[in-house]
Amino acid sequence: MIPVFDGHNDFLQRMVAAGDKRDALWLQGDGTGHLDLPRARQAGFAGGFFAIWTPSPAGPEDAMAQIMKQNPPFALPLPAEVAIDAALPHAFAQAGQLLAMERTGTLKVCHSAAEIRQAMADGQIAAIMHIEGAEPIADLDALHVWHAMGLRSLGPVWSRPTRYGHGVPFAFPATPDTGDGLTEAGKSLVRECNQLRIMLDLSHLNEKGFDDIARLSDAPLVASHSGVHAISASTRNLTDRQLSVISESRGLVGLNYAIGFLHPEGRRDSLPGYEVILRHLDHLLSFLGEDGVALGSDFDGAEMPDDLQTVLDEPRLVQAMLDHGYGQELTEKIAFRNWVNLLERTWGA
């Protein structure tokens, strides 16, 4: 079985919501969601980026509820930034859950590519602590605190503004060129992440913010869970120009499985088979080459296609890549090797 190393999951949200049943949720599973330890082991899931994300306050205008029921054309307004006093406790709770999962001995929070390779060899899930939307990071001193806790990947925004920059609204058809770029605080954040060798994630960032990071960063450019705008014209997907910029940096894109970002019409209808996924992968390969394409599922954070309902379906996706003619070596690169090699280039170890 070819293992999969995944660019993005939102499992920690489920852990926090599970309360005193959280240990059983990870170790035994409860038959819901997309991911847990038993299914991960059965599917050959080697690990990936475990996202710390602060939801917008629930209400009649709840952003996620609107996103999940939209079919195009649509253009949802950006939700407001979440204040630090609301974001920080939620983020700490999720970080605490990831560290608690590590204490079970089934998962390793990794800080280097060598640790990822060792965890995989030892049969542990190799996890990267990732923050999606930097509202919990008050300033650069706080960034160092998070780094000391294990943070090794950061997306300055989720699809709403922060003190650091601007996200893309959920809209289709539309481009990611939606507003201003990074703030001065955001530019300082990029420079400090480079100093600490924290990977910067371009997913959810608007086009001007993308360009700011491309100018400022000395690391490979990475979009952990995005798709191809030329196939599916969502603001969340990357244009061919952006793919070329990522390629020039020897960077990487992890393909998002979310129906709305895969579907050529942006719909959230039934999406059977793997043909559309393979179209996205083919397009990414044509710009990024064999070393620049990976997977970024968005498990437990998005609606999945019919034949990728949970992590248990990933071996069939891997087989579809082999059947498509990618061959063993390229399929292994997309499934796990490219992520590990990218992180080695980014982290320097």
Side-chain angles (χ1 to χ4, degrees), residues 107-175:
L107 175 147
K108 171 69 176 175
V109 178
C110 297
H111 312 107
S112 69
E115 288 186 354
I116 294 172
R117 294 186 178 103
Q118 188 62 55
M120 291 174 64
D122 293 342
Q124 293 179 301
I125 302 295
I128 297 167
M129 184 187 291
H130 168 74
I131 288 181
E132 182 181 33
E135 286 110 322
I137 301 174
D139 52 31
L140 298 184
D141 290 337
L143 179 67
H144 281 259
V145 173
W146 277 101
H147 181 265
M149 289 170 55
L151 181 71
R152 292 298 183 272
S153 175
L154 172 66
V157 300
W158 179 76
S159 287
R160 61 188 170 222
T162 71
R163 68 186 64 84
Y164 301 112
H166 302 272
V168 288
F170 288 90
F172 192 104
T175 78

Side-chain angles (χ1 to χ4, degrees), residues 20 22 33 64 101 123 142 178 191 219 230 236 252 294:
D20 60 5
R22 56 188 177 268
M64 287 306 297
M101 290 158 67
T178 59
R191 297 185 187 100
R236 275 282 285 106
L252 178 147

Side-chain angles (χ1 to χ4, degrees), residues 87-116:
L88 188 58
H90 196 84
F92 273 160
Q94 291 172 82
Q97 291 311 304
L98 183 60
L99 296 176
M101 290 158 67
E102 185 175 46
R103 290 196 296 275
T104 67
T106 62
L107 175 147
K108 171 69 176 175
V109 178
C110 297
H111 312 107
S112 69
E115 288 186 354
I116 294 172

